[in-house]
């Protein structure tokens, strides 16, 4: 990803969703990241009216990295991930 005004390139964060199945329960990358790059969001399509979503069910929540512009490529998230679901490519 390139920031249009400055031409600065940001790290590309790849999340393997096959490995990261219950991010709401784990949250290790969220806790380890000093710049708050990651967040966990629920899958709206799986929601049922007036029912709570169980965070233990695979696929109800997904990990995303919307703030790649804040990533310093410190690799702390990679070190703490118990399933090896994260990869960072630095341009």
């Amino acid at each position: 990803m390139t920031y249009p005004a400055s031409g600065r390139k940001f790290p590309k964060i790849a999340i393997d969703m096959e490995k990261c199945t219950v991010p709401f329960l784990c949250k290790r990358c969220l806790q380890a990241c000093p710049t708050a790059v990651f967040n966990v969001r629920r899958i709206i399509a799986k929601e049922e009216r007036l029912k709570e979503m169980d965070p233990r069910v695979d696929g109800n929540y997904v990990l995303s990295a919307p703030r790649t512009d804040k990533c310093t490529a410190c690799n702390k998230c990679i070190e703490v991930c118990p399933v090896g679901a994260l990869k960072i490519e630095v341009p």
Side-chain angles (χ1 to χ4, degrees), residues 71-91:
C71 181
T72 60
C74 66
N75 291 335
K76 289 181 182 179
C77 57
I78 294 172
E79 293 168 9
V80 299
C81 184
V83 293
L86 301 170
K87 289 186 180 164
I88 298 176
E89 292 178 28
V90 181

Side-chain angles (χ1 to χ4, degrees), residues 4-45:
S6 69
R8 181 176 165 226
K9 294 185 179 185
F10 302 118
K12 183 178 179 185
I13 301 171
I15 303 168
D16 186 345
M17 297 300 177
E18 297 289 322
K19 293 179 181 178
C20 184
T21 57
V22 286
F24 192 86
L25 292 177
C26 179
K27 296 184 191 171
R28 290 184 186 172
C29 56
L30 277 80
Q31 295 167 347
C33 182
T35 56
V37 169
F38 300 98
N39 71 11
V40 175
R41 56 188 171 83
R42 67 183 188 272
I43 302 297
I44 303 287

Side-chain angles (χ1 to χ4, degrees), residues 42-54 57 59-61:
R42 67 183 188 272
I43 302 297
I44 303 287
K46 289 193 162 201
E47 279 191 49
E48 292 181 34
R49 187 174 162 89
L50 303 174
K51 281 186 129 181
E52 256 186 69
M53 292 181 68
D54 189 350
V57 175
N60 276 354
Y61 291 86

